Amino acid sequence: MQKKITTLFTDIGGVLLTNGWDRHARGEASVLFNLDSVDLEERHHLTFDTYEVGKLTLDEYLERIVFFEERNFTYDDFKEFMFKNRFLIPK
C-alpha cells in the first residue's frame, strides 16, 4: 500500500524549529570565533541566496564568508558549531 502525503509544512523557521542561520546565530558565531560581525553580515548577504538554492556547497559558502583568510579554527569546527546549535541541518 502506497502512503499519501497528508500534510505539508511551510515557513517553519522559528515556528516549529529554529530560525536557522539568522542574524542572531551569525552574531553568536562572530563572538565565539572572533569574527568581524559587520564583514560577516555583508559577506553573508552577498552569498547566502546562492547557497540556499543549491549552487554552492556549505564549504564554498563558508569559504566566502569566513575562510577567505587564514583562521585559527577549521571548517569542521565552524560547522560543528552550526549543526550543534541547529542553525543548519546537515545534508
Side-chain angles (χ1 to χ4, degrees):
M1 180 175 148
Q2 193 173 26
K3 296 190 179 219
K4 295 181 181 181
I5 296 173
T6 60
T7 308
L8 178 65
F9 293 101
T10 61
D11 194 34
I12 59 176
V15 176
L16 298 177
L17 300 172
T18 70
N19 279 331
W21 188 233
D22 65 357
R23 183 179 305 275
H24 172 75
R26 293 188 302 276
E28 285 186 36
S30 294
V31 171
L32 181 64
F33 292 98
N34 195 30
L35 302 171
D36 179 327
S37 61
V38 173
D39 187 50
L40 179 69
E41 283 301 307
E42 288 175 4
R43 290 174 176 277
H44 166 79
H45 287 293
L46 290 171
T47 306
F48 192 72
D49 290 345
T50 307
Y51 166 73
E52 195 168 41
V53 297
K55 292 184 179 179
L56 291 175
T57 66
L58 179 56
D59 282 353
E60 291 168 327
Y61 165 77
L62 292 176
E63 182 178 337
R64 292 180 182 193
I65 71 158
V66 176
F67 294 98
F68 55 90
E69 61 184 35
E70 191 171 322
R71 301 292 184 187
N72 62 355
F73 53 90
T74 67
Y75 282 80
D76 287 338
D77 295 333
F78 201 85
K79 289 189 290 189
E80 181 181 337
F81 164 79
M82 295 171 87
F83 299 147
K84 178 179 153 193
N85 291 290
R86 294 190 172 92
F87 298 134
L88 285 182
I89 298 171
K91 292 182 181 181

